[in-house]
Amino acid sequence: MIPTPSTSHVDYNHIYEPAEDSFLLIDTLSSSSETAYLKERFSKSSYSVHNAQLASPTPFVLEIGPGSGVILAFITAHANTIFGRADVLTFGVDVNNFACKATGETVTRAYKENSAQALNSGVYLDTLNGDLSAAIRPGTVDVLIFNPPYVPTSPLPQSRDLTFDKALDALGTRDEEDSYLLSLSYAGGIDGMEVTDRLMKQIPSLLNIDRGVAYILLCKQNRPENVIQRVRAWEPVWSVQIVGHSGKTGGWEKLQVIKIWRT
């Protein structure tokens, strides 16, 4: 069993604590079926383009909203196990600056915890304080991971459209600040899909056109069957598959991970 990185250093007053959703994504990405898929999709074997043999490019992994950094640290520390190669670049973007700092620390600790297998680790670049994929160059992401704020709420957190520091300045007490920061990690607006819908619109242009793949977590209230139908209606033809599920309630999967890629 691949060890999960420690997040004991994280201040959960400001940052979402890893829970069932985080661990479902970790279990999905490290499952035998998905590691086999990723190893084949990102094989180091050279490929031919116009009769020229080219080396397979280094995979670029982006996690939107890493929070504590547990998922990004897991992927970075165990890149060779998951991808069959260690030359994997990982990067995060989070609207919460505390989460950006925590992610860097979690990855650093994961490196140290797995120092005996350092050659199996990928390369963590950084975590940027930003809004979804706005700062990411289109067409560059090979693997996108998103554990969104998926809880149905109304409305979305106040001041979400402001910059992070301005949003905090607009608040009063420390309790209000802590409540706001945590709400960024779970409050999803109508059907819990307002933030996810924004990212879904960016996926076709964000992913690498040849080998890009996205892993998105959804809950039952997000109406995942509708999300799947919408993806299949994208042009040109896209594929979507449920690759992870957890917490069955009344015959329904409480949480699901869907995989999206071009066919």
Side-chain angles (χ1 to χ4, degrees):
M1 184 176 180
I2 307 176
T4 301
S6 171
T7 57
S8 60
H9 57 284
V10 176
D11 182 354
Y12 296 128
N13 289 317
H14 295 140
I15 300 166
Y16 180 73
E17 183 174 0
E20 184 181 9
D21 46 9
S22 307
F23 301 129
L24 175 58
L25 274 164
I26 286 175
D27 289 344
T28 298
L29 290 165
S30 60
S31 66
S32 58
S33 58
E34 287 313 299
T35 55
Y37 171 84
L38 292 169
K39 287 175 181 177
E40 179 180 1
R41 194 168 186 86
F42 298 100
S43 169
K44 293 188 73 172
S45 302
S46 61
Y47 62 99
S48 178
V49 176
H50 302 304
N51 297 321
Q53 290 298 119
L54 302 177
S56 174
T58 296
F60 176 56
V61 179
L62 171 67
E63 182 179 8
I64 301 292
S68 68
V70 65
I71 298 172
L72 202 60
F74 180 86
I75 293 171
T76 306
H78 306 294
N80 192 53
T81 300
I82 296 171
F83 289 90
R85 56 193 297 177
D87 61 328
V88 174
L89 303 178
T90 63
F91 190 79
V93 176
D94 203 299
V95 71
N96 183 340
N97 197 40
F98 290 102
C100 297
K101 296 175 182 177
T103 295
E105 179 64 21
T106 303
V107 174
T108 298
R109 292 185 178 220
Y111 276 140
K112 293 179 180 178
E113 291 168 0
N114 295 276
S115 58
Q117 301 181 12
L119 294 178
N120 291 325
S121 298
V123 177
Y124 169 68
L125 299 176
D126 202 354
T127 296
L128 175 73
N129 183 207
D131 179 40
L132 299 180
S133 67
I136 306 300
R137 183 178 177 183
T140 60
V141 178
D142 293 309
V143 179
L144 172 67
I145 301 165
F146 190 36
N147 182 7
Y150 57 77
V151 177
T153 58
S154 182
L156 283 173
Q158 188 176 8
S159 303
R160 188 160 197 154
D161 58 336
L162 300 178
T163 62
F164 183 79
D165 290 335
K166 287 182 179 179
L168 293 186
D169 290 342
L171 300 172
T173 67
R174 175 64 180 272
D175 287 343
E176 288 177 324
E177 176 183 323
D178 290 345
S179 177
Y180 168 73
L181 291 173
L182 289 177
S183 70
L184 293 176
S185 65
Y186 70 79
I190 298 173
D191 291 332
M193 284 295 294
E194 290 190 41
V195 180
T196 303
D197 279 341
R198 287 180 56 218
L199 184 67
M200 295 288 288
K201 293 176 182 178
Q202 299 169 11
I203 286 177
S205 61
L206 184 62
L207 294 182
N208 181 294
I209 193 170
D210 295 317
R211 60 181 191 171
V213 57
Y215 291 89
I216 311 294
L217 185 135
L218 302 169
C219 75
K220 176 184 175 182
Q221 291 86 347
N222 300 153
R223 303 180 182 179
E225 64 282 358
N226 290 348
V227 177
I228 289 172
Q229 291 176 2
R230 283 162 47 198
V231 173
R232 288 175 175 161
W234 289 353
E235 294 294 340
V237 179
W238 286 74
S239 293
V240 58
Q241 177 185 5
I242 298 172
V243 291
H245 55 80
S246 176
K248 288 191 175 183
T249 304
W252 289 80
E253 285 80 14
K254 182 180 177 183
L255 297 174
Q256 295 182 352
V257 177
I258 61 171
K259 177 171 69 177
I260 301 170
W261 73 101
R262 284 185 179 87
T263 54

